[in-house]
Amino acid sequence: MKITELKFLLIICIPCFLLLSRVGCSNSTVEHHEVHIEQLDDVHIEHSNTQLATARESVELLVPKNLKMNDINDYHEIVLPAYSNTRIRLTHYAENTDKNVGYALVQLNAYEYNVTLSYNSTLVDGGHLTGQNLGLVLYGDGDLWAFNLDPTQPVWVSLVLMIYNASAPVPGGCNLEFPVETSPILNLTVTPDIIVIDTPPAAVARAFQDAKNACGKARLQYESYYSVMAKHDFSLKSYFNAIRSLISYANAKANGHQNTLSSPLQINRHEYGRQTGRGMVFVTVVIDPVHRGFSLYVPTYSYSCQPFIELPECYGHSIPWRILALMITCLAALEIVVGWLPVIVKSPILTGFLFVLLGILGLQHVPMLLPSATPLLMVAFIVGVAVGLLLAMFVPQVSRIVCACISGYLIMITQIGLINGNYYTIPNISFYILLGGCFIGILLSFTLNIVLITRSVIFGAICLFYGINAMFSGRLDYPLRHPFHRLYVPNYETVHYDPGVDEIDCAALAAFTIILIVCLFLRSRYQPNTVQSDFELSCGAAHMAEDDDLTHSSAVIAADDTTAYERFGHEQPIITRWVSGEDDVFESPASNSRFFRRLMRQSARR
């Protein structure tokens, strides 16, 4: 390939990809700016409406005459001043309730900072809870106190009054994890891979409590619901709206999604896959099937990152990783257009990747220590590279089939993973994915000569897909990462993952489609004299190309690729057009191709 032609391609490709990366980064910057503006606007508007609430030393929660059983009966959004103690008064409970009312649950949801909710005006051991999503139970008129112990920072909070009927179980009534005897809150733990929601055991309603229904003996059922917030939306308004969307059973069923996965030994534990930069709200419903009652714990949330401390972490990969992804994307596009990597390089890489996948599937059925899996996978990759090298040197057609099968496997696992995030719960799903991948691979292998798509396009498209996904910080690569999670994260079979594709994933998928089409178009028009053909053995191509007229151009989707047509037509020249002149004749593509090659060689010598 000539130096000038390579420079021309680089001049065209690199600015396009830099522009694409700049757009992705600028979008992130704009979203970051809008988040803070929206937060400031919300705070300014709501602060102007609640100056009186912040100035008072107490807030009143009023039990209405027309009760909404098992639902919100009073709601406030206020600011707790810095280093303050605010009294929360529950009034008109005795006047407006009857025997059908069981208890009141007062919830306090703080934004960004921790606060303390207490039964006493001073902090007493066993009488208060500290965190962001808190709740305490009252059985009559009484007072609670909300402490903001930060000496400089006021905190926005929402106060919610929930009234439950007499048959509703008491959430956290058999609590052993928190200092308060009845703690209707959830214990949320964020690990590098998953989010763990632990629900303290509930107790049956007061009217039914006896020795038979003591803690650990009641036949209570637990349901876990979650809701996903907009990506990179850390505003105050969105936070409170997300909490309210799951605060009642009707809202949870209407606005949330149920997580039916749980460990048989820990039915009160639910695990979720992390979605960094995307808020998730969780709530647990406890149901008493004997007395036909239900109640909800206080909802909790997680962004899987720290947006108020380290905001860039919430936008996925850092700038160096995105630059690396941009370089891989440019090289992948160049591979599709030019086919600059020889078969002896592409085949070992893809075959080694195939052996790693097979090793992961095999290790998932073998009980073993997790740290010992890494050396075995490294050995599998080395063996795969050696096998791929031998195939490329001696049986290139088999190597092409292997590359096509890997492409089919990735197509299958990506489609299934984006439709159902918990596809691993389907029996024998790994076998079906391998079978479907092999079917697609064999189909591609038989049709490669017809559609003229080579290993260069397959290898480049794979790298292009995952490179663009990394540039956009999308989740399109989750189905591929899932087998590794199952191998390295204990009990990953019980982890629930939301497969929803958001706007960033759609943008990454659209960018991949557009760039791939452009690359295929450039490949069809780029006709160098000497390009490594994926249909020929790399080692023996030099002996076959001694005659310049037998030099093969890259097999592409091109109407004017004469050598590709000759191979498809069993070396029979195909008439391509009618030429009008003094004598109407048909033009031979083979002779026409030879003429232009000689013309280009003569001009190059000059």
Side-chain angles (χ1 to χ4, degrees):
M1 182 176 62
K2 296 181 180 179
I3 302 298
T4 56
E5 294 171 337
L6 179 59
K7 290 182 178 179
F8 176 76
L9 283 174
L10 293 176
I11 290 173
I12 293 178
C13 295
I14 292 179
C16 295
F17 289 107
L18 288 176
L19 179 62
L20 179 62
S21 177
R22 182 68 178 272
V23 170
C25 295
S26 63
N27 287 341
S28 300
T29 306
V30 170
E31 290 176 3
H32 169 48
H33 181 65
E34 290 177 352
V35 165
H36 286 281
I37 290 179
E38 186 176 357
Q39 292 175 9
L40 294 175
D41 290 343
D42 291 339
V43 172
H44 176 73
I45 294 172
E46 297 184 20
H47 180 68
S48 63
N49 295 333
T50 57
Q51 287 181 350
L52 294 177
T54 60
R56 293 181 299 182
E57 294 184 356
S58 65
V59 179
E60 186 177 70
L61 291 177
L62 178 64
V63 178
K65 293 183 179 180
N66 299 322
L67 289 176
K68 297 179 181 179
M69 203 63 68
N70 303 338
D71 205 343
I72 299 175
N73 284 270
D74 200 3
Y75 183 87
H76 297 274
E77 292 181 11
I78 64 172
V79 173
L80 299 181
Y83 207 71
S84 65
N85 182 3
T86 303
R87 175 181 292 181
I88 303 171
R89 309 191 100 182
L90 180 63
T91 60
H92 296 180
Y93 184 92
E95 300 175 10
N96 300 329
T97 59
D98 52 25
K99 295 181 179 180
N100 292 327
V101 176
Y103 58 89
L105 174 60
V106 179
Q107 300 186 17
L108 181 66
N109 301 289
Y111 178 68
E112 185 177 354
Y113 298 96
N114 288 340
V115 294
T116 300
L117 185 63
S118 173
Y119 281 115
N120 307 292
S121 58
T122 59
L123 297 181
V124 179
D125 290 343
H128 67 275
L129 296 171
T130 300
Q132 289 184 269
N133 305 102
L134 308 173
L136 292 176
V137 174
L138 293 174
Y139 289 93
D141 292 336
D143 295 337
L144 299 175
W145 281 264
F147 291 83
N148 177 15
L149 301 179
D150 194 314
T152 59
Q153 181 63 50
V155 181
W156 278 94
V157 298
S158 66
L159 284 173
V160 186
L161 174 61
M162 303 287 295
I163 303 294
Y164 285 100
N165 56 25
S167 62
V170 182
C174 296
N175 158 66
L176 296 176
E177 302 179 23
F178 300 99
V180 179
E181 182 179 357
T182 300
S183 301
I185 62 177
L186 301 174
N187 189 0
L188 182 144
T189 304
V190 180
T191 71
D193 300 296
I194 60 177
I195 301 173
V196 182
I197 304 294
D198 288 311
T199 304
V204 296
R206 267 190 171 186
F208 311 117
Q209 290 182 1
D210 53 29
K212 296 181 179 179
N213 292 324
C215 293
K217 297 182 180 180
R219 293 183 297 173
L220 300 178
Q221 301 174 356
Y222 297 86
E223 295 179 358
S224 182
Y225 290 86
Y226 71 96
S227 177
V228 181
M229 301 167 60
K231 197 165 189 177
H232 302 153
D233 186 356
F234 312 116
S235 64
L236 174 72
K237 183 178 180 180
S238 298
Y239 169 73
F240 285 145
N241 289 341
I243 294 292
R244 290 193 65 174
S245 67
L246 295 183
I247 211 162
S248 68
Y249 197 16
N251 288 350
K253 295 183 75 68
N255 304 321
H257 307 278
Q258 185 177 0
N259 176 10
T260 58
L261 301 179
S262 63
S263 173
L265 301 178
Q266 295 176 311
I267 60 174
N268 290 356
R269 168 171 291 186
H270 294 84
E271 299 173 333
Y272 296 83
R274 287 187 55 177
Q275 300 184 32
T276 302
R278 191 166 185 172
M280 297 183 68
V281 181
F282 312 93
V283 71
T284 299
V285 182
V286 55
I287 301 173
D288 186 351
V290 177
H291 305 101
R292 299 182 179 181
F294 66 89
S295 61
L296 282 79
Y297 288 74
V298 179
T300 187
Y301 83 102
S302 173
Y303 291 124
S304 296
C305 61
Q306 297 177 315
F308 309 110
I309 299 177
E310 191 175 353
L311 185 61
E313 176 192 359
C314 299
Y315 286 85
H317 301 295
S318 60
I319 297 299
W321 281 106
R322 291 198 177 192
I323 293 177
L324 178 61
L326 175 63
M327 295 174 60
I328 293 176
T329 303
C330 294
L331 294 176
L334 194 62
E335 166 67 15
I336 295 175
V337 176
V338 182
W340 57 283
L341 281 177
V343 179
I344 205 169
V345 173
K346 290 177 286 192
S347 180
I349 293 177
L350 291 179
T351 308
F353 174 68
L354 176 63
F355 273 62
V356 169
L357 290 177
L358 294 177
I360 291 175
L361 296 178
L363 292 176
Q364 289 175 358
H365 302 284
V366 178
M368 59 180 301
L369 296 177
L370 297 180
S372 61
T374 301
L376 295 177
L377 293 182
M378 293 178 62
V379 171
F381 179 75
I382 294 174
V383 173
V385 169
V387 173
L389 187 61
L390 294 176
L391 292 178
M393 293 177 61
F394 300 104
V395 197
Q397 298 299 330
V398 176
S399 174
R400 187 181 66 186
I401 296 176
V402 171
C403 294
C405 289
I406 294 175
S407 177
Y409 176 85
L410 294 176
I411 292 173
M412 286 288 298
I413 196 173
T414 302
Q415 288 184 346
I416 294 178
L418 295 180
I419 294 174
N420 183 2
N422 305 307
Y423 65 90
Y424 46 85
T425 58
I426 303 174
N428 302 320
I429 186 61
S430 299
F431 173 76
Y432 295 140
I433 293 177
L434 284 176
L435 187 63
C438 292
F439 174 77
I440 295 177
I442 294 174
L443 185 63
L444 287 175
S445 299
F446 279 108
T447 57
L448 284 180
N449 292 339
I450 299 176
V451 299
L452 304 177
I453 297 180
T454 67
R455 267 183 301 249
S456 297
V457 175
I458 292 177
F459 184 82
I462 292 173
C463 297
L464 186 70
F465 179 83
Y466 292 107
I468 291 178
N469 178 77
M471 287 174 54
F472 280 81
S473 294
R475 297 184 298 162
L476 299 176
D477 61 338
Y478 166 76
L480 182 61
R481 289 185 286 111
H482 164 259
F484 293 89
H485 284 308
R486 288 191 66 186
L487 189 61
Y488 287 98
V489 180
N491 300 321
Y492 199 74
E493 293 79 7
T494 62
V495 176
H496 179 87
Y497 187 85
D498 185 88
V501 178
D502 57 21
E503 61 277 3
I504 293 181
D505 300 323
C506 293
L509 193 59
F512 165 74
T513 303
I514 294 173
I515 295 174
L516 182 61
I517 292 175
V518 172
C519 290
L520 290 176
F521 175 78
L522 293 177
R523 182 181 175 88
S524 68
R525 298 305 172 195
Y526 181 68
Q527 297 293 318
N529 282 341
T530 56
V531 174
Q532 172 64 44
S533 173
D534 287 329
F535 288 98
E536 301 296 338
L537 179 60
S538 59
C539 297
H543 300 286
M544 300 175 59
E546 294 179 356
D547 186 358
D548 290 338
D549 293 338
L550 296 178
T551 301
H552 291 282
S553 63
S554 59
V556 296
I557 306 174
D560 53 355
D561 188 349
T562 57
T563 57
Y565 271 100
E566 288 177 4
R567 285 196 300 275
F568 178 65
H570 302 289
E571 304 300 332
Q572 297 297 324
I574 299 176
I575 297 173
T576 57
R577 62 178 178 172
W578 181 271
V579 178
S580 298
E582 297 180 357
D583 297 325
D584 293 338
V585 296
F586 287 112
E587 182 184 33
S588 169
S591 61
N592 190 39
S593 175
R594 286 193 296 270
F595 171 75
F596 278 107
R597 283 203 295 271
R598 291 170 182 168
L599 183 63
M600 293 176 65
R601 284 196 299 271
Q602 291 177 2
S603 61
R605 292 170 183 173
R606 293 177 184 177

